[in-house]
Amino acid sequence: IVLESIDKLKDIGIVIEDFGFNSIKVLEIPESLNNLNVSEYINKILDSDGDISKSYERDKSDYPNLTSEMYLLLATTACHGSIRAGQILNDIEMKNIVNDLLKLDKPNNCPHGRPVMWILERYHLEKNFNRKI
């Protein structure tokens, strides 16, 4: 299945070849992706039921020249460079993230479709704190 995607992968800068015994050899990846787990990335391309497929289907009209493989590559690169749970940030870094997020056309989800922010209704605050505001 992976070998059938050789041309698609080559179009985005990942060059592979058959290595025999159900194996492939990765010959080239773009320099900007040198921290990418290529095996995980290729598996995601092959997984048509993954989160990224849903996100691509949702967003493809906004990016008509972007293939699903390219979308996955960009989404994966963006997520690998993102802030991780438990990472300590100072006030300025936190404010910059929120300001940058609010500049986006679609700030509510990450490239994989996971929520980044949501509206917390007054009702939920009152209920959770057992108080009327």
Side-chain angles (χ1 to χ4, degrees):
I1 295 172
V2 172
L3 294 175
E4 291 172 5
S5 299
I6 278 182
D7 291 334
K8 288 181 181 180
L9 292 169
K10 189 174 185 176
D11 286 345
I12 57 175
I14 298 177
V15 179
I16 63 170
E17 68 180 24
D18 189 351
F19 200 60
F21 304 105
N22 291 322
S23 299
I24 61 166
K25 183 177 183 180
V26 178
L27 301 172
E28 298 176 27
I29 61 170
E31 184 177 348
S32 61
L33 302 177
N34 58 3
N35 291 327
L36 177 71
N37 180 332
V38 176
S39 175
E40 181 181 307
Y41 172 72
I42 291 172
N43 284 326
K44 283 183 182 179
I45 288 175
L46 299 174
D47 179 16
S48 60
D49 294 332
D51 287 343
I52 196 66
S53 297
K54 294 173 191 162
S55 295
Y56 173 71
E57 288 303 315
R58 181 193 68 223
D59 293 340
K60 71 181 178 181
S61 63
D62 294 336
Y63 310 103
N65 296 326
L66 208 58
T67 65
S68 60
E69 294 82 11
M70 293 170 80
Y71 185 92
L72 173 61
L73 184 64
L74 293 170
T76 301
T77 303
C79 282
H80 281 253
S82 66
I83 305 301
R84 300 289 184 200
Q87 187 172 342
I88 298 171
L89 303 172
N90 64 40
D91 289 347
I92 293 171
E93 291 169 320
M94 289 185 274
K95 287 176 184 175
N96 286 340
I97 289 171
V98 172
N99 288 334
D100 289 345
L101 184 65
L102 295 175
K103 292 176 188 173
L104 299 174
D105 291 335
K106 295 181 179 181
N108 296 334
N109 301 81
C110 80
H112 293 97
R114 294 183 195 99
V116 173
M117 63 177 157
W118 58 95
I119 296 171
L120 182 59
E121 302 289 341
R122 182 183 198 143
Y123 162 79
H124 292 106
L125 285 171
E126 291 174 346
K127 181 179 176 188
N128 289 326
F129 286 103
N130 227 7
R131 299 276 187 264
K132 270 291 208 205
I133 300 175

